Amino acid sequence: MDLRIFTEPQQGATYDDLLRVAKATEDAGFDAFFRSDHYLKMGGVSGLPGPTDAWITLAGLARETSRIRLGTLVTAATFRHPSVLAISVAQVDQMSGGRIEFGFGAGWFEDEHTAYGIPLPDVPERFDRYSEQLEVITGLWKTVEGESFNYLGKHYTLVDSPALPKPVQRPGPPVIIGGMGKKRTPELAARFAHEFNLPFTDPATATAQFERVDAAARQIGRDPGDITRSAAQVLCVGRDEAEIARRAAAIGREVGELRTNGLAGTPAELVDKIGRYREATGITRLYLQVLDLPDLDHLELVATEVAPQLG
């Protein structure tokens, strides 16, 4: 089981905050550090001092870490032109020595689009654009050096692109797709994804969606086993009930609700719940959503008392 740390900086974090968590992630032996790609807070938090850009953040972390994988859950297709995004991700992959993973989604949070004047098409158009962006980005990365890339779509047209720069990883960084759409999402995952991620879902819901992805892969002749299954869950672990309650209060949640809907409890409880979730769903990778970023002891507790028992 790969354990990865997943942060939500739009809730309130500076680059220095994220750097401390990323370094603690690396020092504690976790597999990767990921962050969301949002420009507006959610819920009752202040969000101060304001958002940080996902790919600028990851570029900085690429130079200040050496081992952990780095990526997004997930970059929104509505935020950036696909050609520009392909260049940015390839450059950060170079800066990291080939440690980038590209989580990519269609975009969904209407309020942040309104707040910053970013167009948010209706769902059918959004998925049309998302599909074309996947074709453009992966097509640019895998074009052989010295050759050009051309693309004619409904929403994007590229003519004689040199398809540069190239990422270190060939034909490109691993692509992570997720979501609960029952038709187009599995179809796109089957075509493009190295990993399929389901955040904050119960085992039965997750299993049903993983099976849809498997079926879509088989339909195009792809081995479903080529697509890593992963999940994301909010983290709230403590050595005793008082510590669990303190950590739940720090993120504005109730212990009982977190025990039901996330990974809350003692280390032994987490080991048991993760084991049962893995058995039910077949996941081999888990993103631990850490919301109280100054609490680095939270990461250390998982690294020393949970991770060693997961095998």
Side-chain angles (χ1 to χ4, degrees), residues 17-303:
D17 294 330
L18 296 171
L19 175 60
R20 280 190 291 272
V21 177
K23 286 190 170 181
T25 297
E26 185 160 83
D27 292 344
F30 290 101
D31 179 62
F33 173 91
F34 271 61
R35 60 156 292 164
S36 59
D37 188 10
H38 284 295
Y39 292 134
L40 191 69
K41 72 179 182 71
M42 302 173 191
V45 301
S46 71
L48 295 175
T52 50
D53 184 85
W55 288 101
I56 291 176
T57 297
L58 293 176
L61 297 179
R63 307 302 289 182
E64 299 197 70
T65 58
S66 61
R67 178 189 60 79
I68 50 172
R69 308 287 294 176
L70 300 166
T72 50
L73 277 184
V74 291
T75 285
T78 51
F79 287 175
R80 305 166 183 89
H81 191 282
S83 300
V84 175
L85 182 56
I87 291 168
S88 297
V89 177
Q91 181 180 1
V92 179
D93 195 53
Q94 290 179 355
M95 294 169 70
S96 71
R99 293 184 286 125
I100 290 299
E101 304 201 3
F102 180 55
F104 194 47
W108 63 273
F109 187 22
E110 184 175 0
D111 286 352
E112 72 185 337
H113 290 78
T114 301
Y116 286 95
I118 303 168
L120 182 68
D122 61 26
V123 172
E125 180 181 338
R126 203 181 313 160
F127 267 81
D128 288 345
R129 287 179 176 273
Y130 175 48
S131 176
E132 288 192 21
Q133 287 209 16
L134 282 163
E135 292 180 5
V136 168
I137 292 166
T138 58
L140 287 167
W141 286 342
K142 68 186 180 184
T143 297
V144 176
E145 289 186 39
E147 297 184 1
S148 59
F149 175 74
N150 294 276
Y151 181 81
L152 177 60
K154 181 179 178 181
H155 300 285
Y156 302 100
T157 300
L158 285 73
V159 179
D160 293 335
S161 171
L164 297 171
K166 295 300 182 194
V168 171
Q169 299 174 91
R170 299 296 183 93
V175 175
I176 304 168
I177 290 175
M180 288 304 303
K182 293 183 179 180
K183 182 173 175 57
R184 297 193 70 178
T185 297
E187 289 173 350
L188 290 171
R191 290 174 58 199
F192 295 103
H194 299 80
E195 175 181 335
F196 192 79
N197 178 265
L198 286 173
F200 320 122
T201 52
D202 62 85
T205 301
T207 298
Q209 185 68 341
F210 286 137
E211 289 176 351
R212 292 186 191 101
V213 173
D214 288 355
R218 285 190 291 268
Q219 190 168 8
I220 63 171
R222 184 179 180 189
D223 181 358
D226 290 343
I227 304 173
T228 297
R229 292 185 177 190
S230 70
Q233 295 284 333
V234 62
L235 180 70
C236 182
V237 61
R239 298 170 181 84
D240 53 36
E241 290 302 318
E243 191 168 63
I244 297 166
R246 174 177 64 77
R247 288 193 162 122
I251 61 174
R253 304 278 286 271
E254 297 292 332
V255 172
E257 179 266 325
L258 284 171
R259 275 193 161 106
T260 299
N261 299 316
L263 292 175
T266 64
E269 285 181 85
L270 259 67
V271 170
D272 179 65
K273 186 165 187 177
I274 292 170
R276 288 186 281 110
Y277 197 100
R278 174 169 57 184
E279 184 176 357
T281 63
I283 64 165
T284 58
R285 183 170 291 157
L286 183 60
Y287 294 81
L288 305 174
Q289 186 195 43
V290 176
L291 296 174
D292 186 11
L293 298 186
D295 186 5
L296 299 181
D297 179 63
H298 203 183
L299 277 62
E300 185 64 27
L301 180 59
V302 175

